[in-house]
Amino acid sequence: MFRYQALVVAAVLGGSSAGLAQTAETAQTVQTAPGSLAEASSFFKAPALDGCRIPLEDLVKGGAQALRGQWILRKGPGEMAVPAAGRIHMEPMPQRSGELVNLTFRNGRLVVDSPVTGIMPISVRDRAPPEPGSGLRAASVGRGDLPEGAEVFLDEVAIGRLPCGPDQMLQLRLQAALDTATPEPRRADYRLFLIDATRISGTYRETGPAGHITRGLVTLERP
């Protein structure tokens, strides 16, 4: 059984906590109010969505409808922890095949519906420079073209040229905890950047019992 932890929606263009609660309530109203644009959105083509330009408030109030539907989630190159001689070594992992997931709404909240991990709520955050250490070492994801010590925050090789830098994109975050045979769950943490209505990319990290660590790039694209 899954246990999920939802993050609080980040500050909307510098708004107060009270403003955040009102914004979240408004988002749910837009999603569920009879006759609203959100309710009728399934009858219309999803609008264009520019993750570099759309205000966070507009995304929360209805722009996220453009993300609804099927996506292919692909885990890109990364690394995993391998115990050896009493120590943990990080060994490279190649690109892996993708799985089909759905982005949909539940109780007015955008979620990922995956046959592998179940339902994972998505939290939306405003633009901000990526936190140091939240990315991946360039060498660990095969980016020998970047300077030594550089951090990689999304998979530019898989998705192509970006319209703006990650510090200018709206951020999506999802976390989940999966019960294991031990008291310690296996935890998943995805830090994603919204590029447009067809591309989302970022990093993931999974941790679990016995020093299990898997981390790498991850990309969602339309089928």
Side-chain angles (χ1 to χ4, degrees):
M1 179 181 294
F2 293 101
R3 293 181 287 108
Y4 301 103
Q5 301 174 336
L7 300 177
V8 178
V9 175
V12 179
L13 305 179
S16 64
S17 297
L20 286 176
Q22 184 177 4
T23 299
E25 182 179 354
T26 301
Q28 185 165 353
T29 301
V30 170
Q31 171 62 26
T32 58
S36 68
L37 178 61
E39 184 187 51
S41 63
S42 60
F43 298 98
F44 299 94
K45 182 180 179 181
L49 180 62
D50 185 346
C52 298
R53 297 179 181 274
I54 184 173
L56 176 59
E57 185 176 12
D58 290 355
L59 184 73
V60 172
K61 286 184 175 180
Q65 291 290 336
L67 301 177
R68 174 180 261 164
Q70 288 189 331
W71 294 73
I72 298 175
L73 185 151
R74 292 189 176 93
K75 289 184 174 178
E79 56 187 358
M80 67 181 298
V82 177
R87 301 181 62 184
I88 299 294
H89 299 273
M90 300 305 295
E91 298 290 339
M93 291 190 308
Q95 170 84 38
R96 283 174 281 172
S97 59
E99 64 167 295
L100 196 63
V101 302
N102 277 290
L103 265 62
T104 186
F105 287 85
R106 293 210 170 186
N107 299 319
R109 182 73 181 274
L110 184 65
V111 302
V112 172
D113 186 353
S114 163
V116 177
T117 58
I119 303 295
M120 293 188 288
I122 298 177
S123 294
V124 184
R125 294 184 168 189
D126 210 346
R127 298 169 177 84
E131 300 173 16
S134 64
L136 298 167
R137 296 179 301 107
S140 71
V141 291
R143 292 297 303 273
D145 56 313
L146 298 177
E148 184 177 355
E151 278 191 276
V152 177
F153 299 99
L154 41 71
D155 198 344
E156 294 183 59
V157 174
I159 59 182
R161 186 175 179 179
L162 301 174
C164 64
D167 59 328
Q168 297 172 284
M169 297 177 188
L170 292 180
Q171 301 178 24
L172 307 177
R173 183 91 178 265
L174 51 127
Q175 293 178 306
L178 172 63
D179 289 335
T180 65
T182 74
E184 184 181 358
R186 181 165 60 90
R187 301 184 183 278
D189 184 1
Y190 288 72
R191 298 170 182 255
L192 306 172
F193 297 89
L194 174 60
I195 303 168
D196 53 39
T198 64
R199 297 180 297 171
I200 300 171
S201 186
T203 62
Y204 76 94
R205 179 185 177 94
E206 295 180 356
T207 59
H212 169 84
I213 300 174
T214 303
R215 58 196 180 202
L217 298 174
V218 62
T219 298
L220 287 88
E221 294 183 295
R222 294 289 190 179

